[in-house]
Amino acid sequence: MTTISLGPSTSRRSALTRRIRLLVAATIAYNVIEAVVAITAGTLASSAALIGFGLDSVIEVSSAAAVAWQFSARDDAVREAREKTTLRIIAVSFFALALYVTIESVRALTDADETKHSVPGIVLAALSLAVMPFLSAAQRKAGRELGSASAVADSKQTLLCTYLSAVLLIGLLANLLLGWSWADPIAAFVIAAIAVKEGRNAWRGEGCCAPSAVHKESTPEAGACGCSSSCTCC
């Protein structure tokens, strides 16, 4: 049995493009505020984790800005031409994040100085943990329907911020309640590994199948869009 996948209509593509622009703008605005608060609170508390979290927000802004640049083009052909460059920028952002988190985790484990408690940091981490999953899910859904690998990759960058928020919150609470200053850097190593994996996927352009107006063979291995089951867009 064969099916024909035409992808979204022109009007639907325009609506999805506008939605992605708005989501990217919201992500950039939130991360700018997040970076300022985290770096300030981290400096006051001598917290490498908080400062690292703030710098992660700066990296996320660069990733979202790359997608905003891509989708600022009105013409579909221009946006598609910018796709590879955008993916490379996002990939480099992932690698930079992984490198920084690893360095700061090692430094935190070997540093003899005690990190002060930070209530603003705990509030920020909890707020990010509540907000980021919704921004990520909305952008990923729109990016998948549109067939934009860069939008999906950027949504994963936002989702990674959710993981970092959880790690930061656990670390700050463990330090406040139990005095376990080593909890945050240990968990952060896992986040660094995830960042490397997502960076590799973004560099290769993996993780999304663009819709195509061609005949697709429906098989047990293919989804409704005709892609393989490994395609995260299907």
PDB file of all heavy atoms in Angstrom, residues 120-139:
ATOM      1  N   PRO A 120      17.574  32.680  45.954  1.00  0.00           N
ATOM      2  CA  PRO A 120      17.197  33.122  44.604  1.00  0.00           C
ATOM      3  C   PRO A 120      17.519  32.058  43.549  1.00  0.00           C
ATOM      4  O   PRO A 120      16.769  31.875  42.594  1.00  0.00           O
ATOM      5  CB  PRO A 120      18.038  34.384  44.387  1.00  0.00           C
ATOM      6  CG  PRO A 120      18.278  34.902  45.761  1.00  0.00           C
ATOM      7  CD  PRO A 120      18.451  33.688  46.611  1.00  0.00           C
ATOM      8  N   GLY A 121      18.644  31.360  43.745  1.00  0.00           N
ATOM      9  CA  GLY A 121      19.009  30.300  42.811  1.00  0.00           C
ATOM     10  C   GLY A 121      18.008  29.157  42.830  1.00  0.00           C
ATOM     11  O   GLY A 121      17.647  28.609  41.784  1.00  0.00           O
ATOM     12  N   ILE A 122      17.543  28.791  44.006  1.00  0.00           N
ATOM     13  CA  ILE A 122      16.549  27.719  44.137  1.00  0.00           C
ATOM     14  C   ILE A 122      15.244  28.118  43.466  1.00  0.00           C
ATOM     15  O   ILE A 122      14.633  27.327  42.737  1.00  0.00           O
ATOM     16  CB  ILE A 122      16.321  27.392  45.632  1.00  0.00           C
ATOM     17  CG1 ILE A 122      17.583  26.753  46.227  1.00  0.00           C
ATOM     18  CG2 ILE A 122      15.118  26.463  45.795  1.00  0.00           C
ATOM     19  CD1 ILE A 122      17.508  26.528  47.721  1.00  0.00           C
ATOM     20  N   VAL A 123      14.812  29.365  43.688  1.00  0.00           N
ATOM     21  CA  VAL A 123      13.577  29.850  43.067  1.00  0.00           C
ATOM     22  C   VAL A 123      13.711  29.870  41.548  1.00  0.00           C
ATOM     23  O   VAL A 123      12.803  29.445  40.815  1.00  0.00           O
ATOM     24  CB  VAL A 123      13.232  31.264  43.588  1.00  0.00           C
ATOM     25  CG1 VAL A 123      12.037  31.844  42.824  1.00  0.00           C
ATOM     26  CG2 VAL A 123      12.937  31.226  45.080  1.00  0.00           C
ATOM     27  N   LEU A 124      14.852  30.343  41.048  1.00  0.00           N
ATOM     28  CA  LEU A 124      15.082  30.397  39.600  1.00  0.00           C
ATOM     29  C   LEU A 124      15.072  29.013  38.983  1.00  0.00           C
ATOM     30  O   LEU A 124      14.460  28.790  37.934  1.00  0.00           O
ATOM     31  CB  LEU A 124      16.415  31.087  39.320  1.00  0.00           C
ATOM     32  CG  LEU A 124      16.831  31.153  37.840  1.00  0.00           C
ATOM     33  CD1 LEU A 124      15.853  32.020  37.055  1.00  0.00           C
ATOM     34  CD2 LEU A 124      18.252  31.688  37.722  1.00  0.00           C
ATOM     35  N   ALA A 125      15.754  28.058  39.624  1.00  0.00           N
ATOM     36  CA  ALA A 125      15.806  26.688  39.101  1.00  0.00           C
ATOM     37  C   ALA A 125      14.414  26.067  39.067  1.00  0.00           C
ATOM     38  O   ALA A 125      14.050  25.385  38.095  1.00  0.00           O
ATOM     39  CB  ALA A 125      16.748  25.844  39.954  1.00  0.00           C
ATOM     40  N   ALA A 126      13.626  26.299  40.107  1.00  0.00           N
ATOM     41  CA  ALA A 126      12.268  25.749  40.161  1.00  0.00           C
ATOM     42  C   ALA A 126      11.386  26.366  39.076  1.00  0.00           C
ATOM     43  O   ALA A 126      10.594  25.668  38.420  1.00  0.00           O
ATOM     44  CB  ALA A 126      11.658  25.998  41.539  1.00  0.00           C
ATOM     45  N   LEU A 127      11.527  27.674  38.865  1.00  0.00           N
ATOM     46  CA  LEU A 127      10.741  28.352  37.833  1.00  0.00           C
ATOM     47  C   LEU A 127      11.114  27.844  36.438  1.00  0.00           C
ATOM     48  O   LEU A 127      10.230  27.581  35.607  1.00  0.00           O
ATOM     49  CB  LEU A 127      10.977  29.859  37.917  1.00  0.00           C
ATOM     50  CG  LEU A 127      10.201  30.731  36.926  1.00  0.00           C
ATOM     51  CD1 LEU A 127       8.695  30.564  37.130  1.00  0.00           C
ATOM     52  CD2 LEU A 127      10.601  32.196  37.063  1.00  0.00           C
ATOM     53  N   SER A 128      12.402  27.698  36.177  1.00  0.00           N
ATOM     54  CA  SER A 128      12.854  27.200  34.878  1.00  0.00           C
ATOM     55  C   SER A 128      12.380  25.774  34.653  1.00  0.00           C
ATOM     56  O   SER A 128      12.028  25.389  33.540  1.00  0.00           O
ATOM     57  CB  SER A 128      14.381  27.258  34.796  1.00  0.00           C
ATOM     58  OG  SER A 128      14.835  28.591  34.857  1.00  0.00           O
ATOM     59  N   LEU A 129      12.366  24.984  35.715  1.00  0.00           N
ATOM     60  CA  LEU A 129      11.905  23.603  35.621  1.00  0.00           C
ATOM     61  C   LEU A 129      10.428  23.538  35.243  1.00  0.00           C
ATOM     62  O   LEU A 129       9.979  22.579  34.604  1.00  0.00           O
ATOM     63  CB  LEU A 129      12.130  22.893  36.965  1.00  0.00           C
ATOM     64  CG  LEU A 129      11.968  21.374  37.008  1.00  0.00           C
ATOM     65  CD1 LEU A 129      12.923  20.699  36.029  1.00  0.00           C
ATOM     66  CD2 LEU A 129      12.217  20.858  38.421  1.00  0.00           C
ATOM     67  N   ALA A 130       9.670  24.575  35.606  1.00  0.00           N
ATOM     68  CA  ALA A 130       8.246  24.623  35.282  1.00  0.00           C
ATOM     69  C   ALA A 130       7.986  25.198  33.895  1.00  0.00           C
ATOM     70  O   ALA A 130       7.078  24.756  33.181  1.00  0.00           O
ATOM     71  CB  ALA A 130       7.504  25.443  36.330  1.00  0.00           C
ATOM     72  N   VAL A 131       8.807  26.183  33.467  1.00  0.00           N
ATOM     73  CA  VAL A 131       8.556  26.898  32.216  1.00  0.00           C
ATOM     74  C   VAL A 131       9.150  26.211  30.992  1.00  0.00           C
ATOM     75  O   VAL A 131       8.498  26.074  29.949  1.00  0.00           O
ATOM     76  CB  VAL A 131       9.112  28.344  32.315  1.00  0.00           C
ATOM     77  CG1 VAL A 131       9.050  29.034  30.962  1.00  0.00           C
ATOM     78  CG2 VAL A 131       8.331  29.135  33.359  1.00  0.00           C
ATOM     79  N   MET A 132      10.403  25.762  31.099  1.00  0.00           N
ATOM     80  CA  MET A 132      11.132  25.269  29.934  1.00  0.00           C
ATOM     81  C   MET A 132      10.500  24.066  29.224  1.00  0.00           C
ATOM     82  O   MET A 132      10.522  23.991  27.993  1.00  0.00           O
ATOM     83  CB  MET A 132      12.581  24.947  30.319  1.00  0.00           C
ATOM     84  CG  MET A 132      13.416  26.176  30.551  1.00  0.00           C
ATOM     85  SD  MET A 132      13.455  27.223  29.066  1.00  0.00           S
ATOM     86  CE  MET A 132      14.431  28.597  29.642  1.00  0.00           C
ATOM     87  N   PRO A 133       9.930  23.084  29.946  1.00  0.00           N
ATOM     88  CA  PRO A 133       9.327  21.946  29.234  1.00  0.00           C
ATOM     89  C   PRO A 133       8.221  22.355  28.274  1.00  0.00           C
ATOM     90  O   PRO A 133       8.078  21.771  27.187  1.00  0.00           O
ATOM     91  CB  PRO A 133       8.783  21.068  30.371  1.00  0.00           C
ATOM     92  CG  PRO A 133       9.624  21.412  31.543  1.00  0.00           C
ATOM     93  CD  PRO A 133       9.897  22.885  31.412  1.00  0.00           C
ATOM     94  N   PHE A 134       7.439  23.366  28.640  1.00  0.00           N
ATOM     95  CA  PHE A 134       6.334  23.806  27.785  1.00  0.00           C
ATOM     96  C   PHE A 134       6.850  24.524  26.541  1.00  0.00           C
ATOM     97  O   PHE A 134       6.345  24.299  25.429  1.00  0.00           O
ATOM     98  CB  PHE A 134       5.393  24.718  28.578  1.00  0.00           C
ATOM     99  CG  PHE A 134       4.649  24.010  29.670  1.00  0.00           C
ATOM    100  CD1 PHE A 134       5.059  24.121  30.990  1.00  0.00           C
ATOM    101  CD2 PHE A 134       3.541  23.221  29.387  1.00  0.00           C
ATOM    102  CE1 PHE A 134       4.380  23.457  32.005  1.00  0.00           C
ATOM    103  CE2 PHE A 134       2.854  22.553  30.394  1.00  0.00           C
ATOM    104  CZ  PHE A 134       3.271  22.673  31.701  1.00  0.00           C
ATOM    105  N   LEU A 135       7.868  25.379  26.706  1.00  0.00           N
ATOM    106  CA  LEU A 135       8.460  26.051  25.547  1.00  0.00           C
ATOM    107  C   LEU A 135       9.090  25.032  24.603  1.00  0.00           C
ATOM    108  O   LEU A 135       8.944  25.121  23.380  1.00  0.00           O
ATOM    109  CB  LEU A 135       9.519  27.054  26.014  1.00  0.00           C
ATOM    110  CG  LEU A 135       9.023  28.367  26.633  1.00  0.00           C
ATOM    111  CD1 LEU A 135      10.208  29.191  27.127  1.00  0.00           C
ATOM    112  CD2 LEU A 135       8.204  29.164  25.624  1.00  0.00           C
ATOM    113  N   SER A 136       9.796  24.065  25.170  1.00  0.00           N
ATOM    114  CA  SER A 136      10.461  23.049  24.359  1.00  0.00           C
ATOM    115  C   SER A 136       9.453  22.199  23.590  1.00  0.00           C
ATOM    116  O   SER A 136       9.604  21.971  22.390  1.00  0.00           O
ATOM    117  CB  SER A 136      11.316  22.149  25.258  1.00  0.00           C
ATOM    118  OG  SER A 136      11.884  21.089  24.518  1.00  0.00           O
ATOM    119  N   ALA A 137       8.411  21.735  24.284  1.00  0.00           N
ATOM    120  CA  ALA A 137       7.418  20.864  23.650  1.00  0.00           C
ATOM    121  C   ALA A 137       6.676  21.589  22.524  1.00  0.00           C
ATOM    122  O   ALA A 137       6.434  21.020  21.454  1.00  0.00           O
ATOM    123  CB  ALA A 137       6.416  20.360  24.698  1.00  0.00           C
ATOM    124  N   ALA A 138       6.335  22.863  22.758  1.00  0.00           N
ATOM    125  CA  ALA A 138       5.603  23.623  21.746  1.00  0.00           C
ATOM    126  C   ALA A 138       6.461  23.837  20.500  1.00  0.00           C
ATOM    127  O   ALA A 138       5.985  23.686  19.364  1.00  0.00           O
ATOM    128  CB  ALA A 138       5.163  24.965  22.318  1.00  0.00           C
ATOM    129  N   GLN A 139       7.740  24.178  20.687  1.00  0.00           N
ATOM    130  CA  GLN A 139       8.612  24.406  19.537  1.00  0.00           C
ATOM    131  C   GLN A 139       8.922  23.098  18.818  1.00  0.00           C
ATOM    132  O   GLN A 139       8.981  23.056  17.588  1.00  0.00           O
ATOM    133  CB  GLN A 139       9.922  25.071  19.976  1.00  0.00           C
ATOM    134  CG  GLN A 139      10.822  25.431  18.793  1.00  0.00           C
ATOM    135  CD  GLN A 139      12.043  26.213  19.225  1.00  0.00           C
ATOM    136  OE1 GLN A 139      12.033  26.870  20.257  1.00  0.00           O
ATOM    137  NE2 GLN A 139      13.090  26.149  18.434  1.00  0.00           N
TER     138      GLN A 139
END
